[in-house]
Amino acid sequence: MKTQQLTKTRIHLCISVVNIALFILTTLFFTVLTAPAQTTEQNAYARFLNNGMEQMKAADYQGALNSFEQARRYNDSSAAAHLGLGIAYFHLRDYQHAERELNRALEINPREATANQFLGELYYRKDDLDSAASYWEKAVEFDPSASGLRTRLERIRREHKTEKDFNQDVTTHFLVKYEGREKIEAGRIVLRILEDAYSEVGHALSYYPDREMQVILYSDQQFQEVTDAPGWSGGIYDGKIRIPIGGIEQKTQGLRRILYHEYTHAVVRAITPRVPTWLNEGLAQYFEGREIDGRQKEMLRRIAQTDKLPPLSNLEGSFMGLCGDQAVFAYMLSLSSVRYMIDSFGMYRVKDILEELAAGADTGKAISNGIMLSYEEFDINWKRSLE
Ligand SMILES: [Zn+2]
């Protein structure tokens, strides 16, 4: 995996933190729905729960919220309805209401693992690592099969231990944490670059996140311990921007690239919780200022001529499972297709696509609503442009 090429093309981990709960939630609803329904009210309740679940799967969180609210009206003592409401509010970033509903679900069923999991996530986002860990411990206790959560719990403990004595510094939009007073200047450099990224990426996408964003600077070794990221990873965004910073003392082009890249992921995540990886990684590389060089262009041209380029729909899932050369290739295709999209249709259309995704459209529908071409037509046009 640790090839020379991979080292050059930094790979970034973009970890989805809440989707693991969907399975647990499905199981819970299935239990509710398979119980014999006896009255019209129970039927209506089950129907609204089911609708909410379907809407949640389609990332239509506002629709899901309305359905769960209806279900709750039929049965206010239902843990499932309050849980559904809590998760929908969470995805809509209304954390205050999310917390209220999740706590209500726990009052009804104190052993509700998913409610504990989401409350942990809420506190994690508030940077209250102690509370987050205690909710996640309960979630793992009540649902021992939640292996992904167990891994995060171990990570949060390492993170907590590592960051306990970190210093911090803030600007209007960012909070940076780092170890050792000698890193004060490094922290300031990072903040200055991120404020530039805030303006530039914000201006291009007409989007400025309304929450303070956290950035954590690690030594190379701490970065490995806390993130489990592969050795070639230049940084990650998992709700916080984490980068190994080594001994930076000045603003370098490499540092700027990493920060712009990860900040773009943060903005994309703030706009839409669901995005195909090629679009996410294409945008991140675009804003970091990465270009397809002459050698890569020639390679893409030759492969395009033989019709051997994969469809973009094959690049929607995580790139992490790809082997070294495949990953390099996937990042290159992502940048190439997204740059073509921006050059041909303008950044505001790309933003439209992100907003369509946020509203629950699948990739095909988001693209056709955004640029008036089907997914396949866009794919073909982009590949023709390479020949
Ligand atoms: Zn990335």
Side-chain angles (χ1 to χ4, degrees):
M1 289 282 276
K2 203 171 174 180
T3 64
Q4 185 63 28
Q5 255 183 322
L6 264 176
T7 314
K8 281 184 188 162
T9 309
R10 281 177 306 99
I11 308 294
H12 310 270
L13 311 174
C14 310
I15 302 161
S16 170
V17 288
V18 287
N19 290 342
I20 29 177
L22 211 54
F23 170 75
I24 302 163
L25 195 62
T26 312
T27 315
L28 177 72
F29 286 145
F30 188 72
T31 313
V32 172
L33 294 176
T34 49
Q38 287 150 7
T39 67
T40 319
E41 295 217 329
Q42 282 170 326
N43 280 337
Y45 160 72
R47 195 175 64 248
F48 281 119
L49 267 193
N50 193 33
N51 288 351
M53 188 59 213
E54 290 302 318
Q55 286 157 321
M56 191 83 92
K57 273 192 217 156
D60 174 8
Y61 303 118
Q62 187 58 52
L65 185 73
N66 297 341
S67 297
F68 290 130
E69 179 55 30
Q70 292 286 350
R72 187 199 62 76
R73 283 185 196 163
Y74 281 100
N75 183 359
D76 191 35
S77 57
S78 150
H82 288 287
L83 178 60
L85 280 169
I87 297 174
Y89 276 125
F90 177 88
H91 283 297
L92 293 165
R93 300 187 198 93
D94 180 345
Y95 297 134
Q96 203 180 344
H97 283 101
E99 188 170 357
R100 186 193 67 193
E101 294 299 331
L102 293 166
N103 277 321
R104 182 84 185 95
L106 279 184
E107 280 165 25
I108 299 165
N109 177 10
R111 297 181 65 82
E112 181 24 80
T114 310
N116 277 299
Q117 178 178 349
F118 273 86
L119 281 166
E121 191 64 43
L122 272 176
Y123 279 96
Y124 182 71
R125 292 191 182 188
K126 288 185 200 170
D127 205 32
D128 180 346
L129 300 186
D130 278 335
S131 303
S134 90
Y135 279 114
W136 283 348
E137 272 158 15
K138 282 185 215 144
V140 171
E141 182 192 334
F142 300 144
D143 178 18
S145 69
S147 59
L149 198 54
R150 201 180 296 277
T151 311
R152 289 198 73 202
L153 193 52
E154 282 158 18
R155 213 177 94 183
I156 203 178
R157 288 192 186 118
R158 291 196 303 255
E159 186 182 331
H160 197 174
K161 194 164 141 270
T162 306
E163 287 158 31
K164 191 161 48 57
D165 303 319
F166 273 30
N167 300 315
Q168 59 183 53
D169 199 354
V170 287
T171 55
T172 319
H173 309 109
F174 298 93
L175 183 153
V176 68
K177 290 185 180 178
Y178 49 84
E179 186 177 35
R181 299 202 59 74
E182 68 282 6
K183 290 265 167 56
I184 289 175
E185 187 48 30
R188 300 225 164 114
I189 291 168
V190 164
L191 286 173
R192 276 199 294 275
I193 297 173
L194 282 170
E195 285 292 341
D196 289 347
Y198 178 89
S199 304
E200 279 178 43
V201 178
H203 180 71
L205 285 172
S206 307
Y207 190 88
Y208 301 90
D210 52 12
R211 281 194 311 133
E212 176 187 74
M213 193 166 293
Q214 286 201 24
V215 192
I216 304 170
L217 314 181
Y218 299 101
S219 69
D220 291 349
Q221 195 194 340
Q222 285 168 339
F223 181 71
Q224 290 303 314
E225 285 168 3
V226 168
T227 63
D228 288 329
W232 37 258
S233 174
I236 70 166
Y237 174 72
D238 62 358
K240 296 175 187 176
I241 296 173
R242 302 174 194 276
I243 59 166
I245 197 163
I248 65 149
E249 274 149 23
Q250 52 182 329
K251 187 173 166 179
T252 63
Q253 198 55 26
L255 180 64
R256 187 185 173 283
R257 279 176 183 276
I258 292 176
L259 290 170
Y260 270 65
H261 186 111
E262 302 306 335
Y263 178 69
T264 306
H265 283 319
V267 171
V268 168
R269 174 81 65 83
I271 297 173
T272 172
R274 206 183 47 170
V275 62
T277 303
W278 63 265
L279 182 55
N280 197 4
E281 292 300 343
L283 280 170
Q285 292 176 90
Y286 175 85
F287 282 113
E288 73 168 78
R290 186 173 291 276
E291 301 277 353
I292 306 267
D293 65 28
R295 187 184 58 81
Q296 291 172 323
K297 261 191 198 134
E298 179 54 24
M299 183 172 111
L300 286 175
R301 190 180 63 78
R302 270 188 284 114
I303 307 175
Q305 281 171 343
T306 57
D307 264 349
K308 293 265 170 59
L309 289 175
L312 287 171
S313 54
N314 284 9
L315 300 174
E316 292 202 8
S318 168
F319 291 175
M320 289 317 296
L322 301 177
C323 77
D325 286 346
Q326 284 175 325
V328 171
F329 192 50
Y331 276 85
M332 200 199 313
L333 294 178
S334 302
L335 175 57
S336 169
S337 56
V338 169
R339 184 170 278 279
Y340 171 76
M341 184 183 270
I342 294 166
D343 291 346
S344 309
F345 304 96
M347 188 61 89
Y348 65 101
R349 290 289 182 204
V350 181
K351 169 75 180 309
D352 286 347
I353 292 174
L354 294 175
E355 283 175 349
E356 289 284 335
L357 289 164
D362 62 25
T363 311
K365 190 164 169 245
I367 288 179
S368 65
N369 287 350
I371 60 174
M372 310 303 154
L373 286 181
S374 72
Y375 202 171
E376 293 73 24
E377 286 167 327
F378 170 70
D379 199 277
I380 291 167
N381 290 356
W382 159 56
K383 283 168 185 167
R384 278 205 194 118
S385 77
L386 299 172
E387 289 178 18

